[in-house]
Amino acid sequence: MCSSMVLVRVTCLVMMMCMILGLPQTLVALTCGQVNTKIAPCIAYVTGSGSDVPKPCCNGISAVNNEAKTKSDRQAACKCIQTTVNALSGVNVDKLAGLPSKCGVHLPFKPLPSTDCNKIA
């Protein structure tokens, strides 16, 4: 009886440690949902004929850049942007490629379907 109680307590302790140690990674991971929400204001610009990038689009590009702190976050953001762009029709790739520059943001990758996201540092 006593040994089974000790086993239960040790198991609970190990599970709690795993949850605590795993929590920071979960909190800092940038999800596709977050990326898509932030870049959604850019869709009209890259699929339309307008010449001015909307301020909310630049805010979104800047937010993605600021929140993608780790290599895996940057790679995930790149892949999310590619998935979104590939799902859209009529994307002007020149406008898409120029977005970071027009917004004054230095993304560590080109937001293009041809970018190899796995090579982003």
Side-chain angles (χ1 to χ4, degrees):
M1 174 94 165
C2 187
S3 65
S4 65
M5 292 281 284
V6 170
L7 181 60
V8 168
R9 287 183 180 172
V10 169
T11 303
C12 288
L13 181 62
V14 169
M15 288 176 60
M16 287 179 63
M17 292 287 286
C18 289
M19 289 184 340
I20 290 169
L21 293 175
L23 186 60
Q25 291 176 342
T26 303
L27 290 176
V28 297
L30 195 57
T31 68
C32 277
Q34 292 169 322
V35 171
N36 289 339
T37 298
K38 290 174 186 355
I39 66 168
C42 303
I43 293 172
Y45 171 75
V46 298
T47 59
S49 60
S51 61
D52 294 330
V53 180
K55 181 82 170 148
C57 171
C58 288
N59 292 344
I61 297 277
S62 181
V64 168
N65 188 51
N66 291 337
E67 292 175 23
K69 300 280 186 204
T70 66
K71 176 181 176 178
S72 61
D73 279 348
R74 290 186 290 275
Q75 290 175 342
C78 175
K79 291 174 186 175
C80 291
I81 290 170
Q82 285 181 333
T83 300
T84 300
V85 168
N86 288 332
L88 298 172
S89 60
V91 173
N92 181 325
V93 292
D94 292 331
K95 282 184 166 183
L96 181 63
L99 265 178
S101 175
K102 284 198 171 227
C103 291
V105 177
H106 175 71
L107 279 180
F109 60 90
K110 293 254 187 225
L112 295 172
S114 60
T115 298
D116 186 349
C117 299
N118 294 320
K119 291 185 177 178
I120 296 171

